[in-house]
Amino acid sequence: MSSQSLLVPGTLSPRRTVPASIARPEYVGKEAPTPYTGPEVQDSETIERMRVAGRIAAGALEAAAEHIAPGVTTDALDEVVHTYLCDHGAYPSTLGYRAFPKSLCTSVNEVICHGIPDSTVLRDGDIVNLDVTAYIGGVHGDNNRTYLCGEVDEVSRLLVERTEEALNRAIKAVRPGRQINIIGRVIEAYAQRFGYGVVRDFTGHGINSAFHSGLIIPHYDDPRATTVMQPGMTFTIEPMLTLGTHEWDMWEDGWTVVTKDRRRTAQFEHTLVVTPTGAEILTLP
């Protein structure tokens, strides 16, 4: 187990600007997005636009990952993502979403999700999740991965590898006619083999023209998740596994979620569309 000291909030840089020519999501400049009232099943034209958004989001994630190294700040990674998205005509979906101040989320070590990029310096042995969403063509594409920074201990490395495997297994479980809860059942069953916690209060979600449509995708076996998957339905799967408890605390910034026992956690995410035979990943480079 890593002996790294716990994270503390860093200093925020000024908000980065987006060229006026790039279309903004409707929630930018507002306290909250307008509730989504459209369908969860999307038409073929919308799905094609989501493929474009997904590819750009995946490319931005890869671009930032190339810069992960000891001594690099999380704010520097934000700058890479911001520049990549703008250069490709996309708006960083997180920037201004419910007043979130940056263009991606950087969640290091004990941070479960929604870490804010700042002056925090990555250290040898850290694990860091990068979560990038692109908005272009009126739709969003959302993905994240957890990366190793330098020489990482075996326990953390296995956590990261197994969290990615949990996502892969969950994607394979997607089929039309099945209830959403099969996704969490597969993830939880796999995580329990290793004694990992499965975060319950932060979930996957429906996504389309809305960043979060209202559809919830739990990562544990939730008997209430009875929505039946249909071809054309679009959503994210993004399991968050922990070395200890699934319970959490939140920093005073109102965003950064950390494990209550401060043990490490990992997450992986793709945006998917349900197909007649399974699922297509929309967030591939």
Side-chain angles (χ1 to χ4, degrees):
M1 179 63 190
S2 172
S3 60
Q4 295 279 46
S5 58
L6 297 179
L7 292 173
V8 295
T11 301
L12 287 178
S13 64
R15 177 167 167 158
R16 294 187 164 89
T17 59
V18 176
S21 59
I22 294 177
R24 274 75 167 150
E26 60 83 23
Y27 52 74
V28 174
K30 298 166 55 178
E31 288 187 2
T34 302
Y36 178 73
T37 57
E40 298 296 347
V41 173
Q42 306 303 308
D43 60 31
S44 59
E45 188 269 338
T46 301
I47 293 167
E48 180 54 36
R49 286 188 283 123
M50 290 183 68
R51 287 191 185 97
V52 173
R55 283 194 294 267
I56 293 172
L61 191 64
E62 284 194 333
E66 292 177 0
H67 294 264
I68 292 173
V72 173
T73 66
T74 55
D75 187 65
L77 301 178
D78 181 78
E79 183 175 16
V80 172
V81 166
H82 183 91
T83 300
Y84 185 100
L85 293 178
C86 292
D87 285 351
H88 287 77
Y91 186 90
S93 300
T94 59
L95 185 63
Y97 179 79
R98 298 184 182 272
F100 191 85
K102 292 295 177 179
S103 297
L104 84 158
C105 300
T106 51
S107 301
V108 180
N109 296 343
E110 70 268 20
V111 179
I112 295 172
C113 57
H114 304 158
I116 301 175
D118 58 19
S119 61
T120 297
V121 176
L122 295 178
R123 302 161 296 181
D124 185 64
D126 283 342
I127 60 174
V128 55
N129 178 274
L130 305 184
D131 192 339
V132 178
T133 310
Y135 177 80
I136 188 171
V139 296
H140 300 267
D142 187 3
N143 65 162
N144 76 55
R145 294 181 63 86
T146 301
Y147 298 92
L148 310 182
C149 181
E151 295 296 321
V152 175
D153 67 88
E154 181 77 355
V155 171
S156 299
R157 185 184 62 78
L158 287 173
L159 173 68
V160 171
E161 290 180 3
R162 290 165 176 168
T163 304
E164 183 172 23
E165 175 62 16
L167 171 61
N168 293 337
R169 291 180 179 225
I171 291 171
K172 291 176 182 177
V174 172
R175 291 285 188 283
R178 289 181 172 178
Q179 293 183 344
I180 289 291
N181 58 19
I182 186 65
I183 294 170
R185 188 176 308 139
V186 166
I187 292 169
E188 187 171 44
Y190 180 70
Q192 286 179 339
R193 289 168 51 180
F194 310 104
Y196 296 153
V198 181
V199 173
R200 294 172 170 242
D201 296 329
F202 300 90
T203 68
H205 52 89
I207 184 170
N208 38 65
S209 61
F211 194 173
H212 301 86
S213 72
L215 176 66
I216 301 299
I217 311 296
H219 302 123
Y220 67 102
D221 188 4
D222 186 347
R224 299 166 295 177
T226 56
T227 299
V228 175
M229 291 182 269
Q230 304 173 58
M233 186 177 287
T234 51
F235 53 81
T236 71
I237 303 176
E238 45 189 297
M240 291 153 262
L241 304 187
T242 68
L243 290 177
T245 182
H246 67 270
E247 296 180 343
W248 52 273
D249 293 321
M250 185 175 288
W251 283 5
E252 291 183 3
D253 62 23
W255 282 106
T256 306
V257 179
V258 296
T259 54
K260 186 170 283 290
D261 58 10
R262 304 303 191 265
R263 298 190 71 190
R264 288 187 168 189
T265 176
Q267 181 185 19
F268 283 80
E269 173 188 25
H270 275 305
T271 295
L272 314 169
V273 59
V274 181
T275 70
T277 57
E280 176 191 346
I281 299 172
L282 298 178
T283 40
L284 292 175

